[in-house]
Amino acid sequence: MPHLGVQLLVQDRHVVMDNGLLQVTLSNPDGIVTGIRFSGIDNLLEVLNDESNRGYWDLVWNAAGSTGTTGIFDVIRGTSFKVIVETEEQVEVSFTRTWDSSQEGKLVPLNIDKRFVMLRGSSGFYSYAIYEHLREWPGFNLGETRIAFKLRKDKFHYMVAADNRQRFMPLPDDRVPPRGQPLAYPEAVKLVKPVEPDFKGEVDDKYQYSIENKDNKVHGWICMDPAVGFWQITPSDEFRSGGPVKQNLTSHVGPTTLAMFLSAHYSGEDLVPKIGAGEAWKKVFGPVFMYFNSVMDGDDPLSLWEDAKLQMLIEVQSWPYEFPASDDYQKSDQRGNVSGRLFVRDRFVSDDYIPANGAYVGLALPGDVGSWQRECKDYQFWNRADEDGYFSINNVRTGDYNLYAWVPGVIGDYRYDVSVTVTSGCDIEMGDLVYQPPRDGPTLWEIGIPDRSAEEFYVPDPNPNYTNKLYVNHPDRFRQYGLWERYAELYPDGDLVYTVGVSDYRKDWFYAQVTRKKDDNTYQRTTWQIKFNLDEVDQNGTYKLRVALASATFSELQVRINDPKAKPLFSSGLIGRDNSIARHGIHGLYWLYGMDVPGARLVEGDNAVFLTQPRSASPFQGIMYDYIRMEGPPPPSSSSPETSV
């Protein structure tokens, strides 16, 4: 019989929370999850691992002034344990680690308070943490922080990241030689002698299961016998960095399940918080929910996923939670709401104000236009506008923000110029807002869809020797390994040539401008060509070429007009570290460039734009394009449109 309330047992070396549905054991005072007993299984976590390597908060840090995204890996061990709440309805416990100057260079200069919460009648437990840096402490970089769970490999073999991204997974043993053969980087392994023969020849890579923040709300594993689910539910993105389309890891072979809070994946060092000496900083990560479910004998174990999705919706609707005991976590009545309506004004598309259908509208730290995608220290709050452009951003923590937006189908970024101050209980009505995207003249031609992704372009079939069966005949074709190598096979002698009005970007524009691998295992630059015809040219006018990039990795964009050997009309310089080509992401960070093209550079008849990516030391240096547009000179009568409705 389940007992009525939540019970807490404090021992010298362990702390046990038990509500009759499950029992969670934590090391004392480390605050590492060593055991989860549920539905007849004595421990869902990997009993073959040391207790310190089962369920833990960790981080990667570096001293101030360091560069890059790697650093010192630290499994966060508490040094002090405290009971915060102990009632029949709720148990909340705290494991803290405090910093002082004697630890300088050895531990990240943060006070860390890890909390674990169990509620009555709840089939799971919550965890959150408060990180605090005092002003007088030395600075540091925080490359990553997350919660990791290592599940039992003898039990959990079926992984689910989404409705159409679920499968039986290889064992961790399959990734180690001689069963596994490492490929171009350690995370990608070809399974040559797996324990389960069905996996032979496939590629396994944890980055194939990444998900954008906005969709990364529930993922996990299913044990088939007995039928038990282990799910990681993240009900809010407010404490994650980089905005709604930043990609993060989920679950992968181990079996491992992650709750990612900060990472530089698909972005690079721009998404590494750099906390300076003299800078006070505090942030609450979570709570996130670890949810466990089971089915009766004979019922379909895959129904556990359907149940987990329903539980995720319950958690999302319950956010912000009322139960966390820390004063640093703001409850609903302490937060505020912001709403309004967004229009797009592009006089070359319509004389009317166009409702910003599906716009992403968000509040983030005050900064430059578009700065939200690199913002990684504070909280962000996002929602989508409806088809009429109305938006509502609710339960926003108090503070000063800028309101940012971007609209699928429209280039560029919107920022409301005046900062927005959110106070407890406020309902701020922004009224009608108008975004005027970059535009000088009428569209002469365009390639792609302005959606911050290269997904609409040609993604080749994978090399049959390097497939993940999940992504065969799947909408996410780009998640296969080694697609970058297909470019040299498709274009062995010359580079891509795209003819406006004849070519189809869905078939004729390769998803990434990568380097070309040569027979001697070196790589060479590539130059793509866009051919277009002009019936007439205004020799005295100024044309505009706009190039939006969906990704850049240690690359450079050079643009030339009509002469591939001329001095570039434009060069971006060295840009990007998002590594989305190697990580099977179809986008990383967004870049938008506009360049003036003097009419004297163009001719009546056939013209060409040459796009060169000259950096060529590796296969992963390259660019993904989002959208390219050539605009004619502005008509003589054009003037700036009004800025309010």
Side-chain angles (χ1 to χ4, degrees), residues 39 227-228 293-304:
S39 193
V228 166
N293 55 6
S294 59
V295 297
M296 304 292 287
D297 285 348
D299 288 350
D300 182 4
L302 298 187
S303 67
L304 294 168

Side-chain angles (χ1 to χ4, degrees), residues 78-371:
T79 55
S80 176
F81 164 74
K82 185 178 180 183
V83 178
I84 305 296
V85 177
E86 185 179 7
T87 69
E88 286 200 345
E89 298 300 320
Q90 174 178 344
V91 163
E92 179 165 340
V93 292
S94 162
F95 301 87
T96 54
R97 185 176 86 182
T98 52
W99 192 87
D100 63 55
S101 57
S102 69
Q103 298 162 325
E104 186 163 352
K106 300 172 190 170
L107 288 177
V108 61
L110 283 172
N111 285 339
I112 296 175
D113 182 355
K114 298 185 296 180
R115 301 289 182 96
F116 295 87
V117 182
M118 183 176 282
L119 303 179
R120 178 178 184 154
S122 172
S123 189
F125 68 95
Y126 298 85
S127 189
Y128 67 108
I130 304 101
Y131 290 19
E132 183 175 21
H133 177 261
L134 301 187
R135 194 181 306 277
E136 60 269 23
W137 289 353
F140 68 98
N141 299 349
L142 187 60
E144 184 175 83
T145 192
R146 64 185 190 175
I147 308 175
F149 288 97
K150 309 289 183 68
L151 282 57
R152 283 175 65 156
K153 70 178 182 181
D154 65 331
K155 296 286 187 188
F156 291 93
H157 300 146
Y158 192 86
M159 191 183 88
V160 187
D163 284 339
N164 65 352
R165 299 173 69 188
Q166 52 181 282
R167 59 166 290 168
F168 284 101
M169 296 291 283
L171 291 167
D173 316 57
D174 295 334
R175 292 179 48 85
V176 181
R179 293 190 181 278
Q181 171 192 327
L183 297 174
Y185 45 87
E187 294 89 348
V189 170
K190 182 172 179 175
L191 309 175
V192 289
K193 293 180 182 175
V195 174
E196 180 62 58
D198 282 355
F199 299 137
K200 185 175 182 179
E202 283 200 78
V203 170
D204 177 69
D205 181 347
K206 65 183 179 182
Y207 290 101
Q208 292 179 321
Y209 303 101
S210 297
I211 295 181
E212 292 177 348
N213 282 342
K214 65 183 174 63
D215 301 319
N216 189 358
K217 290 183 165 42
V218 56
H219 58 89
W221 292 83
I222 294 173
C223 167
M224 294 296 178
D225 185 18
V228 166
F230 186 116
W231 307 103
Q232 197 282 302
I233 295 176
T234 301
S236 169
D237 291 334
E238 68 181 48
F239 40 78
R240 287 174 170 158
S241 57
V245 296
K246 162 80 168 73
Q247 297 170 87
N248 271 309
L249 295 171
T250 57
S251 292
H252 58 264
V253 166
T256 298
T257 284
L258 302 174
M260 298 296 305
F261 301 121
L262 289 176
S263 87
H265 297 137
Y266 304 94
S267 56
E269 191 179 341
D270 286 347
L271 265 286
V272 174
K274 296 175 171 64
I275 310 299
E279 179 179 359
W281 180 76
K282 182 189 283 189
K283 189 167 182 179
V284 180
F285 294 103
V288 296
F289 188 40
M290 274 53 70
Y291 176 62
F292 313 101
N293 55 6
S294 59
V295 297
M296 304 292 287
D297 285 348
D299 288 350
D300 182 4
L302 298 187
S303 67
L304 294 168
W305 165 242
E306 298 302 320
D307 175 71
K309 288 191 294 179
L310 292 174
Q311 187 65 40
M312 175 271 288
L313 292 174
I314 292 169
E315 301 300 324
V316 169
Q317 288 159 9
S318 304
W319 186 272
Y321 295 130
E322 291 301 312
F323 61 78
S326 170
D327 290 338
D328 293 310
Y329 178 81
Q330 290 192 346
K331 311 292 174 52
S332 185
D333 62 354
Q334 297 171 283
R335 298 179 177 224
N337 305 314
V338 176
S339 58
R341 190 180 190 189
L342 181 65
F343 293 88
V344 175
R345 175 76 164 116
D346 184 339
R347 65 189 185 278
F348 291 100
V349 173
S350 171
D351 291 332
D352 296 326
Y353 292 90
I354 306 164
N357 180 7
Y360 291 82
V361 187
L363 295 166
L365 273 187
D368 296 333
V369 175
S371 60

Side-chain angles (χ1 to χ4, degrees), residues 524-536:
Q524 64 182 182
R525 65 167 57 197
T526 53
T527 296
W528 290 9
Q529 188 178 161
I530 303 170
K531 292 183 173 182
F532 62 99
N533 187 279
L534 295 176
D535 291 336
E536 56 183 14

